[in-house]
């Protein structure tokens, strides 16, 4: 027992030691300041400059164009050198971009989704080389590895702001899409098992299309997208299955009409919401910046005037009107000034003066009414005491 | 700025706003710093007007110019109407030809005639094509008639374009619909010219160009307003979907290139029973195949065909097809539908917004007229009216300046109620007590004044460029000063009324105790 206790005690001690050690290490790591700040700033400036972006965009486009050329065997055969050299150039450019960005900010680099996309693409580029080294010459999947090189064009998205905003807006709908797809998968699973049991289990069943679960899934997907479903239905009919028509028609109604239409409806709703939100944020931002600018201008104006007034120590300006007295003298009556803002327009003057007149009229009416109330109350008070005296007298009696 | 008014005055934001407006209008800061000699005297209209610009340039060149940008009411004044009011049209001996051309083009008879001709052209073309195969000699006069009719219609279309050029050459090219009309007519004219030029034979290009005759029917879409609206809405929706289409193209590219590599073995297979073996042979075919899969046509047959070749791994081919179907056909197509729906909804909302905007403007105009009448025939109670007039005396000084106002309009003389408004003001200032008995004119008020003002204020504040006011300079300065002083006066009066109210309450209580 004491051994157990000692072990526990040791464990507790060691865990606390580990904690403190890791804590200390973590704080030290956090406070670790890189000594190469200037170099980092320079590289950061390079990475975020226009020239760099143009270079990257042109590289990606050229790479995409070359990939189109290399799909044809003849061109690949004739321009083999160009293929090799261009591959080397492109891979080196991508690798250097990756290393520069990681150098600038090693920890925050991994938080941005588009940087992760870059990393994935570099891994994809590297895969064929590894495969060729590891596997022997007759590995059947080399062409697959070559095929997925076409994903390199996705780097284009990082540098196009329009597509990024589109993806952000549409990306909100991903969760809904995923849930609808899951529901669809569950539905297909149910019907696949049903179909397998009904049509594919027995020996005289349609083993081609319903033989195992995978093929059943494909058949059902073909029914859902209503492509060539009459052929499948005919094969079932040839084998004289009783329920086949009802099964097929029910599934097509549920999957194709209801589910896929629901898909459209859900996407419409979400696209509308996200676009509205986006536009509202844009308007709000613009409004806020506008108000801020106005405030700044107003404040600056006020400061200027007060500063000017404080500066005038030679003449004793007591108020603003004295300050501009000289200016007023230069104004002539025959000089026209054309203004079109609301404050100096005639409708404003009309409305403002009418409102003031209205205010006066209302206040006068109110005063009149108050005087009347006071007068009536005083009259009531005059009438009251004789009545109370007479009532008291009668009460005394 | 607490230093520049008397002690005991509380700072009013409204007064500060008026003062800052004054400073801004007269550029006082620059003046007090000694930078400029004068206030901006000129507006952008004077700069753009070439005659006044010359005078400006010859004068003092260090003048300040005031810029102001206001939205313009889209007037329904047609080009012909504008031409009518020009001096060289009014004073010439004979009216110019462009005026007549404009009148002809806008007359409904001519327009309907052109629409009828377009329909006729379509029918004539149809008949001509049918008759091409018949070599029956009894149909010869019919063929001749049809040919003549086609030529005649073409000539009338060319005449219409010439008329439009006559009416105004440069405005013709500014409208996209006119350019489209021109292109279509010229395109259909080309084969006729080529035939006349002597090129004979059955060359393919000639036949193709003949087909362009059919394009003349497209001129119809420019004529009907509804079709124009639909096409404009479509173009706008497409413009907002450019990035989506770009993304779709990127995905097309990815899957097409990947498809060529993935199905190399399928393409090179030596089996004889493959139906779709050429579908992934090179990039162009692969692109077409990807598009075929996008439209969900025979995808399962293609997949089963691919499965026949054992060298192709079933897993990768099925993944490819299913992934592309999900991504492209199901998700992307529905995103496109969703964006179209959203765009059309936005367009509809904007249209209705514009209509409500116009309604608000209209109501604001009616409200302005009401204010005029209210001033001419003011309060119902004559005593109150006199009191009202007396209390508004401190502010009546700007009213005295009102007769000096004038209006600056583009087309003078069109807005006579405004002149009447000026006359009414004058009369009000000088002869107001005589009008109190005409108060019954304005007694039907459904809403009280404040609600009415608040309802119409947004419409009034969006003044258009036509509603500018010309102020004399010193009057404007005095106006701003007086307005500021008015704010302080009103504040003082409010305080006095509060005191009076308290005293009145105390007085009545005291009286009741006596």
């Amino acid at each position: 027992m004491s051994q157990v206790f000692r072990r526990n005690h040791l464990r507790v001690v060691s865990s606390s030691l580990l904690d403190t050690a890791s804590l200390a290490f973590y704080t030290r790591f956090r406070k670790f300041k890189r000594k190469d700040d200037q170099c980092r700033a320079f590289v950061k400036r390079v990475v975020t400059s226009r020239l760099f972006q143009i270079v990257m965009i042109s590289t990606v486009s050229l790479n995409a164009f070359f990939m189109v050329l290399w799909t044809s065997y003849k061109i690949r055969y004739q321009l083999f050198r160009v293929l090799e050299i261009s591959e080397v150039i492109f891979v080196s450019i991508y690798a250097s971009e990756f290393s520069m960005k990681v150098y600038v900010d090693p920890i925050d680099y991994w938080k941005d989704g588009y940087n992760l996309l870059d990393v994935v693409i570099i891994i994809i580029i590297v895969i064929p080389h590894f495969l060729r080294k590891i596997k022997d010459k007759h590995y059947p999947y080399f062409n697959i590895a070559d095929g997925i090189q076409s994903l390199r064009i996705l780097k284009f998205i990082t540098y196009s702001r329009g597509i990024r905003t589109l993806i952000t807006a549409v990306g909100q709908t991903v969760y809904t899409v995923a849930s609808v797809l899951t529901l669809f998968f569950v539905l297909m699973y149910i019907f696949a098992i049903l179909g397998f049991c009904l049509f594919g289990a027995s020996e005289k069943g349609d083993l081609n299309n319903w033989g195992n679960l995978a093929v059943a899934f494909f058949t059902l997907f073909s029914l859902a997208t209503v492509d060539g479903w009459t052929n499948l239905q005919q094969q079932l009919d040839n084998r004289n299955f009783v329920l086949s028509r009802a099964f097929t028609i029910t599934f097509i109604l549920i999957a194709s009409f209801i589910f896929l239409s629901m898909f459209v409806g859900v996407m419409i709703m979400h696209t509308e919401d996200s676009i509205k939100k986006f536009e509202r944020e844009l308007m709000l931002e613009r409004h806020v910046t506008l108000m801020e600018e106005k405030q700044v201008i107003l404040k600056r104006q006020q400061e200027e005037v007060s500063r000017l007034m404080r500066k005038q120590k030679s003449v004793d300006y007591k108020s603003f009107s004295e300050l501009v007295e000289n200016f007023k003298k230069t104004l002539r009556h025959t000089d026209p000034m054309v203004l079109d803002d609301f404050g100096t327009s005639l409708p404003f003057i009309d409305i403002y003066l009418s409102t003031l007149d209205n205010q006066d009229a209302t206040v006068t009416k109110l005063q009149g009414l108050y005087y009347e109330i006071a007068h009536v109350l005083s009259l009531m008070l005059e009438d009251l005491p004789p009545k109370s005296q007479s009532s008291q007298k009668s009460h005394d009696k | 700025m607490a230093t520049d008014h008397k002690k005991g005055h509380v700072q009013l934001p409204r007064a500060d706003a008026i003062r800052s407006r004054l400073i801004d209008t007269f550029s006082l800061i620059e003046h007090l710093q000694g930078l400029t000699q004068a206030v901006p005297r000129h507006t952008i209209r004077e700069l753009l007007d070439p005659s006044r610009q010359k005078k400006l340039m010859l004068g003092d060149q260090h003048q300040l110019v005031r810029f102001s940008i206001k939205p313009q009411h889209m007037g329904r004044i047609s080009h012909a109407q504008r031409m009518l009011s020009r001096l060289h049209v009014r004073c010439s001996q004979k009216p110019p030809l462009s005026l007549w051309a404009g009148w002809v083009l806008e007359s409904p008879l001519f327009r309907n005639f052109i629409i009828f001709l377009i329909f006729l052209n379509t029918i004539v073309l149809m008949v001509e094509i049918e008759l091409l195969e018949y070599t029956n000699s009894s149909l010869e006069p019919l063929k001749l008639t049809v040919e003549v009719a086609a030529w005649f219609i073409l000539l009338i279309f060319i005449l219409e374009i010439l008329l439009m050029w006559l009416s105004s050459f440069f405005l013709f090219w500014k409208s996209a619909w006119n350019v489209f009309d021109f292109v279509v007519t010229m395109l259909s004219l080309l084969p006729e010219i080529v035939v006349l030029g002597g090129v004979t034979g059955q060359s393919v290009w000639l036949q193709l160009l003949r087909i362009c005759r059919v394009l003349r029917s497209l001129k119809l879409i420019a004529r009907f307003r509804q079709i124009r609206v639909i096409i404009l809405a479509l173009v706008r929706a497409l413009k907002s979907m450019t990035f989506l289409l770009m993304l779709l193209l990127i995905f097309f590219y990815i899957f097409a290139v990947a498809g060529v590599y993935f199905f190399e073995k399928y393409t090179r297979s030596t089996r004889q029973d493959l139906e779709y073996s050429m579908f992934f042979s090179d990039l162009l075919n692969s692109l077409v195949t990807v598009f075929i899969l996008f439209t969900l046509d025979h995808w399962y047959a293609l997949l089963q065909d691919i499965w026949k070749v054992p060298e192709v791994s079933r897993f990768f081919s099925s993944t490819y097809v299913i992934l592309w179907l999900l991504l492209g056909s199901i998700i992307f197509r529905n995103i496109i539908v969703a964006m179209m729906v959203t765009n059309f909804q936005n367009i509809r909302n904007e249209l209705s917004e514009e209509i409500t905007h116009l309604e608000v403007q209209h109501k604001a105009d009616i409200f302005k007229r009401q204010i005029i009448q209210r001033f001419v025939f003011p309060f119902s109670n004559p005593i109150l009216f006199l009191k009202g007039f007396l209390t508004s005396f401190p502010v009546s000084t700007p009213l005295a300046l009102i007769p000096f106002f004038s209006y600056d309009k583009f087309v003078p003389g069109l807005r006579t109620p405004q002149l009447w408004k000026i006359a009414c003001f004058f009369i009000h200032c000088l002869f107001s007590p005589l009008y109190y008995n005409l108060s019954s004119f304005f007694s039907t008020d459904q809403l009280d004044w404040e609600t009415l003002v608040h309802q119409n204020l947004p419409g009034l504040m969006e003044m258009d460029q036509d509603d500018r006011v010309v102020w004399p300079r010193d009057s404007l300065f005095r106006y701003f000063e007086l307005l500021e002083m008015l704010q302080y006066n009103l504040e003082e009066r409010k305080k006095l009324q509060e005191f009076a109210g308290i005293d009145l309450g105390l007085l009545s209580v005291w009286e009741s105790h006596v």
Side-chain angles (χ1 to χ4, degrees):
Chain A
M1 254 213 312
S2 60
Q3 267 185 341
V4 171
F5 180 68
R6 215 179 301 131
R7 230 180 290 138
N8 281 344
H9 181 72
L10 274 172
R11 217 179 299 145
V12 165
V13 166
S14 66
S15 68
S16 71
L17 261 177
L18 186 65
D19 274 344
T20 45
S22 63
L23 203 65
F25 180 67
Y26 198 50
T27 43
R28 193 126 155 265
F29 189 64
R30 270 261 175 86
K31 285 203 215 127
F32 176 67
K33 269 203 184 302
R34 294 175 58 157
K35 303 237 168 60
D36 49 355
D37 271 341
Q38 273 187 344
C39 191
R40 251 177 78 188
F42 171 70
V43 174
K44 189 165 181 178
R45 218 176 40 234
V46 166
V47 166
T48 49
S49 70
R50 278 293 284 165
L51 186 64
F52 184 74
Q53 284 184 353
I54 292 177
V55 164
M56 286 311 296
I57 292 179
S58 46
T59 313
V60 172
S61 318
L62 209 60
N63 198 3
F65 176 64
F66 276 4
M67 286 210 67
V68 165
L69 286 183
W70 307 147
T71 55
S72 146
Y73 182 72
K74 265 202 306 195
I75 295 182
R76 242 191 313 191
Y77 184 68
Q78 284 172 357
L79 297 177
F80 188 67
R81 279 288 147 89
V82 179
L83 168 70
E84 294 284 306
I85 296 176
S86 63
E87 271 297 306
V88 168
I89 293 177
F90 290 139
V91 172
S92 56
I93 291 182
Y94 296 149
S96 57
E97 180 207 3
F98 167 69
S99 51
M100 276 204 286
K101 286 194 173 160
V102 168
Y103 173 67
V104 166
D105 210 345
I107 301 187
D108 288 335
Y109 179 76
W110 308 101
K111 291 187 187 161
D112 187 12
Y114 293 108
N115 293 337
L116 289 175
L117 180 74
D118 279 343
V119 171
V120 164
I121 287 183
I122 288 191
I123 294 176
I124 287 178
I125 291 179
V126 160
I127 284 179
H129 296 282
F130 269 133
L131 273 185
R132 294 226 153 82
K133 281 213 166 67
I134 298 175
K135 303 278 183 176
D136 57 353
K137 233 166 58 163
H138 297 290
Y139 188 58
Y141 298 139
F142 279 138
N143 58 348
I144 308 276
D146 283 333
I148 56 177
Q149 301 300 310
S150 60
L151 284 171
R152 288 189 206 179
I153 199 176
L154 284 178
K155 280 177 84 77
F156 202 65
I157 297 179
T158 322
Y159 294 102
S160 156
R161 204 163 16 132
I163 300 186
R164 278 168 84 155
T165 47
L166 177 74
I167 287 184
T168 327
V170 168
Q172 311 283 340
T173 64
V174 149
Y175 294 115
T176 331
V177 165
S179 46
V180 172
L181 279 179
T182 318
L183 209 56
F184 189 56
F185 183 75
V186 166
L187 177 80
M188 281 202 357
Y189 182 73
I190 296 173
F191 271 86
I193 297 210
L194 205 59
F196 172 73
C197 293
L198 281 178
F199 310 126
S202 54
E203 270 311 309
K204 66 177 178 72
D206 186 7
L207 287 174
N208 219 1
N209 292 326
W210 301 92
N212 54 15
L213 210 57
V215 187
F217 261 104
F218 271 106
T219 314
L220 280 175
F221 197 58
S222 175
L223 288 181
T225 54
V226 283
D227 167 69
W229 71 275
T230 40
N231 290 340
L232 297 167
Q233 180 53 36
Q234 203 162 29
Q235 289 192 5
L236 279 179
D237 273 343
N238 287 345
R239 290 176 170 78
N240 288 328
F241 276 115
V242 177
L243 286 175
S244 64
R245 292 221 170 148
F247 178 86
T248 318
I249 289 179
T250 317
F251 181 70
I252 287 182
L253 277 177
I254 295 181
S256 169
F257 284 89
I258 297 181
F259 253 88
L260 292 179
S261 311
M262 190 175 79
F263 210 87
V264 176
V266 154
M267 294 221 73
I268 288 180
M269 211 169 60
H270 277 261
T271 316
E272 225 181 275
D273 279 346
S274 63
I275 285 185
K276 265 198 208 149
K277 201 162 60 146
F278 185 64
E279 276 179 4
R280 217 172 340 138
E281 280 173 17
L282 217 65
M283 287 304 272
L284 211 66
E285 224 180 271
R286 223 182 288 166
H287 190 69
V288 160
T289 35
L290 203 68
M291 295 311 287
E292 277 177 13
E293 277 178 16
K294 277 193 186 160
Q295 287 290 340
V296 161
I297 291 176
L298 204 67
K299 225 182 250 318
R300 204 167 3 130
Q301 222 182 43
Q302 287 181 349
E303 280 171 19
E304 284 276 346
V305 173
S306 49
R307 199 165 48 89
L308 277 168
M309 282 187 37
R310 268 182 273 131
K311 246 184 4 181
Q312 305 284 350
K313 292 218 172 77
S314 53
V315 191
D316 199 12
Y317 287 130
K318 276 235 166 50
S319 76
F320 183 68
S321 45
E322 289 173 22
L323 187 67
V324 296
E325 202 58 50
N326 282 338
F327 179 71
K328 262 169 69 171
K329 295 205 180 103
T330 66
L331 300 174
R332 290 202 300 267
H333 190 72
T334 49
D335 274 340
M337 264 187 96
V338 181
L339 293 171
D340 57 1
D341 50 293
F342 188 55
T344 52
S345 68
L346 282 169
F348 168 72
I349 299 177
D350 296 342
I351 296 177
Y352 191 52
L353 297 179
S354 303
T355 315
L356 288 178
D357 291 338
N358 227 12
Q359 212 179 27
D360 293 341
T362 320
V363 166
T364 324
K365 259 196 226 169
L366 271 176
Q367 279 178 358
L369 286 171
Y370 282 141
Y371 282 136
E372 262 193 63
I373 292 176
H375 183 63
V376 165
L377 281 175
S378 60
L379 282 178
M380 280 172 64
L381 278 175
E382 280 174 16
D383 289 338
L384 212 48
K387 275 204 189 135
S388 68
Q389 276 181 15
S390 61
S391 70
Q392 259 192 348
K393 279 182 190 162
S394 62
H395 187 71
D396 282 341
K397 282 182 185 161
Chain B
M1 303 217 291
T3 52
D4 39 61
H5 41 76
K6 314 184 187 73
K7 279 195 205 151
H9 271 231
V10 69
Q11 194 162 350
L12 287 177
R14 258 187 248 167
D16 283 341
I18 295 174
R19 173 162 297 179
S20 75
R21 190 87 197 93
L22 167 67
I23 294 175
D24 194 45
T25 315
F26 285 96
S27 309
L28 277 179
I29 296 180
E30 276 95 18
H31 175 82
L32 290 172
Q33 285 174 343
L35 286 175
T36 60
Q37 283 299 326
V39 182
R41 282 177 178 219
H42 306 283
T43 59
I44 195 170
R45 244 172 38 109
E46 292 177 13
L47 259 188
L48 291 176
D49 197 356
S51 57
R52 289 200 216 177
Q53 187 187 44
K54 217 182 290 186
K55 202 174 73 158
L56 248 180
M57 294 305 198
L58 289 174
D60 185 2
Q61 276 149 8
H62 295 285
Q63 293 285 347
L64 295 175
V65 175
R66 176 178 302 279
F67 285 89
S68 70
I69 301 165
K70 283 273 173 174
Q72 224 170 352
H73 262 330
M74 293 302 295
R76 296 289 182 84
I77 305 175
S78 66
H79 178 72
Q81 280 176 313
R82 279 187 201 275
M83 289 277 290
L84 264 178
S85 43
R86 286 208 167 161
L87 203 61
H88 76 85
V89 165
R90 280 184 153 167
C91 299
S92 58
Q93 293 256 336
K94 302 176 286 199
L97 222 52
S98 50
L99 214 58
W100 173 77
W103 172 78
V104 166
L105 281 174
E106 282 176 18
S107 67
L109 185 66
F110 185 76
R111 279 195 180 164
N112 292 337
F113 179 60
I114 294 284
I115 292 177
F116 165 71
L117 277 187
I118 294 175
F119 277 122
L120 193 65
N121 188 25
T122 323
I123 296 174
V124 156
L125 276 181
M126 282 199 294
V127 169
E128 193 175 334
I129 286 182
E130 276 296 319
L131 285 185
L132 261 183
E133 288 131 24
Y134 287 93
T135 46
N136 203 348
S137 63
S138 66
L139 291 173
E140 207 55 39
L142 188 60
K143 272 193 179 176
L144 197 64
T145 323
V146 158
E147 188 80 21
V148 165
W151 272 104
F152 173 69
I153 292 174
L154 183 62
L155 275 168
I156 301 240
F157 285 156
I158 296 177
L159 203 69
E160 188 209 356
I161 290 188
L162 283 176
L163 267 182
M164 279 205 254
W165 274 351
L166 201 61
S167 162
S168 86
F169 187 72
F170 292 109
L171 273 186
F172 177 82
W173 298 106
K174 282 194 186 157
S175 153
W177 301 105
N178 290 343
V179 173
F180 174 73
D181 252 350
F182 178 71
V183 163
V184 162
T185 315
M186 284 303 128
L187 213 58
S188 64
L189 189 59
L190 223 51
E192 323 287 350
I193 295 179
V194 161
V195 161
L196 280 182
V199 175
T200 53
Q202 299 291 326
S203 70
V204 179
W205 286 111
L206 200 64
Q207 282 186 345
L208 232 96
L209 284 179
R210 265 182 194 277
I211 294 171
C212 288
R213 278 188 188 190
V214 155
L215 285 178
R216 277 186 232 161
S217 312
L218 278 180
K219 287 162 75 92
L220 202 61
I221 58 173
R223 309 283 151 178
F224 289 112
R225 201 183 149 70
Q226 262 84 348
I227 304 185
R228 270 203 218 198
V229 167
I230 291 177
I231 290 186
L232 281 175
L234 259 177
V235 166
R236 236 184 84 164
L238 279 176
K239 265 205 273 197
S240 67
M241 282 201 328
T242 38
F243 287 116
L244 190 67
L245 292 177
M246 226 160 78
L247 196 61
L248 190 64
L249 278 177
I250 287 181
F251 275 108
F252 260 84
Y253 166 86
I254 290 177
F255 276 91
V257 171
V260 174
Y261 281 108
F262 278 20
F263 300 115
E264 252 179 356
K265 304 220 173 68
Y266 171 69
T267 314
R268 296 196 197 140
S269 163
T270 47
R271 278 175 72 121
Q272 296 302 318
D273 57 346
L274 295 176
E275 291 171 46
Y276 304 109
S277 61
M278 282 294 116
F279 267 40
F280 282 104
S281 52
D282 65 347
L283 187 74
L284 224 51
N285 281 327
S286 177
L287 203 58
V288 172
T289 310
V290 163
F291 184 70
I292 289 177
L293 289 178
F294 184 68
T295 58
L296 287 180
D297 177 73
H298 284 106
W299 66 268
Y300 197 37
L302 179 64
L303 194 59
Q304 280 175 332
D305 212 42
I306 292 176
W307 281 346
K308 284 191 202 158
V309 176
E311 288 102 1
V312 177
S313 116
R314 279 204 179 186
F315 171 68
F316 280 113
S317 54
S318 328
T319 321
Y320 174 88
V321 170
I322 298 284
L323 197 64
W324 174 237
L325 285 184
L326 277 179
L327 197 64
S329 168
I330 294 184
I331 294 183
F332 253 100
R333 181 184 297 175
N334 294 333
I335 291 183
I336 289 180
V337 171
M339 290 214 105
M340 277 268 192
V341 167
T342 319
N343 273 316
F344 274 102
Q345 275 182 354
N346 280 348
I347 290 173
R348 192 185 49 165
N349 284 345
E350 268 182 37
L351 273 177
S352 68
E353 246 180 49
E354 229 181 81
I355 291 177
T356 48
H357 182 76
L358 283 173
E359 269 179 25
V360 161
Q361 287 278 353
H362 185 61
K363 268 173 61 171
D365 283 336
I366 294 181
F367 182 57
K368 278 190 219 174
R369 213 165 296 146
Q370 276 181 349
I371 301 174
I372 303 166
Q373 289 164 352
R374 197 181 171 87
F375 252 111
V376 175
F377 315 109
F379 313 97
S380 43
N381 195 342
I383 303 171
L384 279 179
F385 161 67
L386 280 174
K387 275 205 180 142
F389 183 61
L390 288 172
T391 48
S392 66
F393 185 74
V395 305
S396 64
T397 337
L399 279 175
L401 301 169
I402 288 168
F404 293 104
F405 295 168
S406 64
Y407 278 80
D408 205 7
K409 298 281 174 208
F410 278 135
V411 185
L414 272 188
R415 304 265 291 257
T416 41
Q418 308 300 332
L419 292 172
W420 183 56
K421 195 169 159 185
I422 298 172
C424 291
F425 268 126
F426 218 108
I427 296 169
H428 162 64
C429 296
L430 302 179
F431 305 113
S432 32
L434 297 180
Y435 279 87
Y436 67 89
N437 50 6
L438 295 169
S439 54
S440 57
F441 191 83
F442 202 64
S443 48
T444 57
D445 240 358
Q446 294 104 336
L447 300 163
D448 60 318
W449 178 252
E450 225 179 289
T451 331
L452 208 61
V453 168
H454 275 290
Q455 269 178 5
N456 290 310
L457 207 56
L460 277 175
M461 281 180 62
E462 293 168 3
M463 292 170 58
D464 54 345
Q465 238 176 0
D466 293 340
D467 277 345
R468 286 183 297 187
V469 181
V470 179
W471 286 81
R473 205 175 286 264
D474 53 350
S475 322
L476 183 64
F477 203 91
R478 187 91 186 114
Y479 168 70
F480 277 126
E481 279 186 332
L482 286 172
L483 208 56
E484 202 187 333
M485 228 191 306
L486 174 66
Q487 304 301 319
Y488 289 120
N489 287 346
L490 285 175
E491 191 67 27
E492 255 189 74
R493 193 175 75 158
K494 200 158 71 165
K495 283 213 183 104
L496 285 172
Q497 279 172 350
E498 279 176 21
F499 285 140
I502 297 174
D503 282 346
L504 191 66
L506 289 175
L507 191 67
S508 54
V509 167
W510 182 67
E511 267 194 16
S512 66
H513 274 298
V514 164

